[in-house]
Amino acid sequence: MTLEFTLTRNAEPVADDVRAGVLAEPGFGKHFTDHMVSIDWTADGGWHDARIEPYGPLQMDPASAVLHYGQEIFEGMKAYRRDDGSVWTFRPDQNAKRLQRSAARLALPQLPEELFLEAIRRLVEVDEAWVPDGGEDSLYLRPFMIANEVFLGVRAAQTVRFMVIASPAGPYFAGGVKPVSIWLSREYNRAGKGGTGAAKCGGNYAASLLPTQLAVANGCAQVLFLNEEGTDLEELGGMNVVLVKADGTLITPDSDTILDGVTRNSLLQLAADEGHAVERRPVTLAEWRDGVADGTITEAFACGTAAVLTPIAALRSPDETIGDPDAPAGPVALALRKALTDIQYGRAEDPHGWMVQLTGAR
Ligand code: COI
């Protein structure tokens, strides 16, 4: 399914010198481009009115369902500029499909994959000047879908909007690739069986905020959640977790209550290509603790679109510290990070055909 997109250009785009200042030091999630995409959906009329408009505040009725019951889903993806000036994105089909799975769980409508891809393409075309070049900066794309029916009854909304906004981005963690310490959440869970843990919905991230405050208060960058039983690793507040064994095996939790990370899947594929064994299975906290103690687990890392791959130096809780908070980044994590980012920035072959070109060379 395709729709005609209308374009209303921003009559007051950010001045070139101001944009250049932002691109020189983008931070994460603080600055937004000149335009945004909106596509509306109604139960009667389906998807319609696809448009690119000046970026700006939404006028929203205070009774809009999303404000009350959190019927919302989102995605995170990036546009990367290559040395020749062209702009590419990474496995957008995976994000489109995951948005569909999230929509199914949150009783939101299915957005056709072609429409998702077209929305991304059109926004990056019109805001191409906002894609940073050099280094590991990128244009972070945030597609999302909200229930905007004006109705306080608790049922799936009959009026929905899909939007895409874009934000130039540097490293998610202020220290870049510097290894981080992670706080173990004993008191709070992120998701339960049959819940929304596998969906990328705002509520999962809202649930992580208080535990993340505790993590930060304890000098950690992120929080790690366990399963309901308190035995198995799940994921961090906003990214997946992977352990590395001394023999090169990568282990990552397999659970239907965590996010099916595109970055994680891709890193594991690249690791397998390099001959690493990869195990997706329940991973216990005890296995991490014992493995670090006896030297069979040598590295751990967090991964996600925003975080890319960030080494985990240590897992901390009031009772124990697993690992060494001052440990340097491990060689497996660094090699995988390089392999992935080299593909994303066009510095290496793309053997799996993951990259999709959005704009031409300059
Ligand atoms: C991403 O990695 O893109 C995420 O969505 C995680 C976080 C920034 C919310």
Side-chain angles (χ1 to χ4, degrees):
M1 178 201 184
T2 50
L3 290 178
E4 281 300 312
F5 281 72
T6 60
L7 169 62
T8 308
R9 278 197 185 274
N10 192 331
E12 292 177 6
V14 171
D16 288 351
D17 59 331
V18 175
R19 189 182 63 242
V22 168
L23 295 186
E25 209 169 322
F28 184 86
K30 294 189 295 193
H31 304 281
F32 298 90
T33 64
D34 292 317
H35 298 88
M36 60 188 189
V37 170
S38 299
I39 312 177
D40 287 319
W41 178 91
T42 55
D44 294 342
W47 293 106
H48 60 275
D49 204 7
R51 55 201 186 276
I52 299 153
E53 297 168 311
Y55 183 93
L58 302 180
Q59 250 218 342
M60 185 173 259
D61 192 291
S64 293
V66 65
L67 300 178
H68 301 271
Y69 308 126
Q71 197 189 1
E72 184 267 359
I73 56 175
F74 68 95
E75 276 300 319
M77 47 204 293
K78 285 176 172 173
Y80 308 87
R81 191 183 295 284
R82 295 193 173 178
D83 286 347
D84 67 1
S86 60
V87 176
W88 299 65
T89 193
F90 181 71
R91 307 188 77 181
D93 58 312
Q94 297 297 304
N95 297 93
K97 290 186 174 85
R98 189 171 61 188
L99 189 83
Q100 292 180 340
R101 296 197 294 278
S102 300
R105 180 62 184 87
L106 272 288
L108 284 161
Q110 292 290 297
L111 182 79
E113 196 173 317
E114 316 83 76
L115 203 47
F116 178 94
L117 297 180
E118 188 63 9
I120 300 299
R121 186 180 291 282
R122 296 294 300 263
L123 184 61
V124 173
E125 269 169 13
V126 70
D127 280 337
E128 191 264 346
W130 283 91
V131 184
D133 41 28
E136 275 194 22
D137 293 349
S138 60
L139 184 65
Y140 185 76
L141 302 166
R142 173 52 65 87
F144 63 103
M145 197 188 289
I146 55 174
N148 67 352
E149 183 177 353
V150 179
F151 180 55
L152 292 184
V154 184
R155 60 147 170 74
Q158 307 288 296
T159 316
V160 166
R161 181 170 296 175
F162 170 73
M163 300 191 68
V164 190
I165 55 175
S167 172
Y172 185 74
F173 292 112
V177 231
K178 196 169 161 284
V180 293
S181 285
I182 302 294
W183 186 250
L184 177 63
S185 176
R186 286 284 194 187
E187 210 176 343
Y188 301 105
N189 288 108
R190 173 181 173 277
K193 286 191 177 39
T196 58
K200 203 163 175 63
C201 63
N204 290 342
Y205 295 80
S208 77
L209 299 180
L210 174 61
T212 302
Q213 279 184 332
L214 294 178
V216 171
N218 283 283
C220 293
Q222 271 276 322
V223 61
L224 171 75
F225 292 103
L226 299 178
N227 62 348
E228 280 175 72
E229 293 74 22
T231 52
D232 294 4
L233 313 187
E234 291 262 295
E235 66 174 276
L236 309 188
M239 48 211 76
N240 293 123
V241 61
V242 177
L243 305 182
V244 185
K245 291 176 74 171
D247 68 3
T249 304
L250 277 79
I251 322 169
T252 193
D254 182 28
S255 156
D256 54 15
T257 51
I258 66 174
L259 195 76
D260 187 21
V262 178
T263 303
R264 180 175 69 151
N265 290 342
S266 308
L267 288 166
L268 295 180
Q269 179 64 58
L270 294 177
D273 294 350
E274 289 298 314
H276 290 267
V278 172
E279 297 176 8
R280 293 170 179 267
R281 57 169 172 79
V283 185
T284 64
L285 178 62
E287 182 175 359
W288 192 351
R289 178 188 299 123
D290 297 346
V292 168
D294 69 14
T296 51
I297 292 182
T298 47
E299 295 181 41
F301 60 81
C303 51
T305 298
V308 192
L309 182 159
T310 304
I312 298 174
L315 175 65
R316 295 184 38 221
S317 71
D319 326 315
E320 63 180 338
T321 297
I322 299 175
D324 170 5
D326 296 320
V332 175
L334 286 180
L336 283 175
R337 189 179 207 284
K338 180 172 184 324
L340 180 69
T341 52
D342 279 354
I343 292 173
Q344 290 171 331
Y345 287 90
R347 297 187 292 254
E349 281 298 299
D350 173 19
H352 300 283
W354 286 339
M355 301 309 296
V356 173
Q357 185 164 7
L358 299 175
T359 69
R362 270 175 178 164

